[in-house]
Amino acid sequence: MKNLKLSLVCAVLLSGLSSYAIDGNGDLNLHVLKTNGKLITFAINKVQKANLAIYAKDGSLIYTENAYGENGILRTFSLEEFPEGTYFLEVEDNTKKVIHEITINDFSTVLSSKAVSSVNKAVPAKSTSVAAR
């Protein structure tokens, strides 16, 4: 009976850990820090180098930059010149690419903190040698 209770407690703890990871608390986790009219500030934790790009809804590239930060990336974008509509912020590093939605209207800009798309990149396997006799 004691082993059953211990197993149940372990199962609940492990399921909690996996749901915590699913919520986007891993790499390329974007945090919207501040919005003020058409000015947005966001941070990407645990990433020192990433490519940032903004695309229009039709897929055309509007802006791109290579962003760097010692303990993460902090950026503020002024979207004053952007017409109303839906845009997409793509954040990509060596292992993952995530896309967040940006909605702009007359008075405000909203950057979704939850990714609308997330793709893990394949990591090449390390080369190993096998000795044959």
Side-chain angles (χ1 to χ4, degrees):
M1 186 68 167
K2 196 173 195 178
N3 285 339
L4 179 63
K5 286 182 182 178
L6 182 59
S7 297
L8 184 59
V9 168
C10 287
V12 170
L13 287 175
L14 291 175
S15 67
L17 288 175
S18 64
S19 67
Y20 183 73
I22 291 169
D23 287 339
N25 292 315
D27 296 341
L28 293 183
N29 188 19
L30 183 137
H31 300 280
V32 179
L33 301 176
K34 184 176 166 184
T35 59
N36 184 9
K38 292 190 177 182
L39 194 69
I40 55 172
T41 301
F42 62 91
I44 306 166
N45 294 340
K46 301 180 185 178
V47 175
Q48 294 179 336
K49 178 182 173 185
N51 184 39
L52 305 177
I54 297 177
Y55 291 90
K57 195 170 188 173
D58 67 3
S60 59
L61 179 64
I62 297 173
Y63 174 81
T64 186
E65 78 167 286
N66 289 317
Y68 302 92
E70 191 172 315
N71 296 316
I73 296 171
L74 178 65
R75 282 291 178 272
T76 299
F77 286 149
S78 174
L79 306 173
E80 296 288 332
E81 302 297 320
F82 285 48
E84 279 190 16
T86 301
Y87 300 86
F88 297 96
L89 172 64
E90 180 181 275
V91 181
E92 183 174 8
D93 70 359
N94 292 334
T95 61
K96 195 171 191 178
K97 177 169 59 172
V98 295
I99 298 174
H100 295 267
E101 186 176 83
I102 302 170
T103 306
I104 299 175
N105 64 36
D106 278 338
F107 306 105
S108 67
T109 299
V110 176
L111 171 60
S112 66
S113 57
K114 189 164 188 150
V116 295
S117 172
S118 178
V119 177
N120 290 323
K121 295 181 180 180
V123 178
K126 291 183 180 178
S127 175
T128 58
S129 299
V130 177
R133 292 185 188 202

